[in-house]
Amino acid sequence: MRAHQFNSICPTILYRKYCRKIKNISYSYFINGLDWLYLIKVIELKDNGDITLCN
C-alpha cells in the first residue's frame, strides 16, 4: 500500500491486487483481516471509505 500513488486505497482494489499477487481468498476473509488491522491501529479508514496506513 505504501507504493500506491495517493497513500490510500479502496479496499476492493486492494483485495483484487492481493488476490492477483498473493492468494485468492474470500472477500469476507479479507475484510476480517482489515478489521483486525484497524483494531490494532495499523490502518485507518478515511471519510471516503479508503484505507491508509497509520504512521
Side-chain angles (χ1 to χ4, degrees), residues 1 4 9-34 37 51:
M1 205 163 76
H4 195 265
I9 190 168
C10 171
T12 304
I13 294 171
L14 184 61
Y15 169 73
R16 289 181 189 145
K17 288 183 177 204
Y18 180 85
C19 287
R20 251 186 275 129
K21 291 186 178 190
I22 300 177
K23 185 178 181 183
N24 194 12
I25 61 171
S26 71
Y27 190 71
S28 60
Y29 188 74
F30 179 79
I31 293 298
N32 188 36
L34 290 181
L37 292 174
I51 55 174

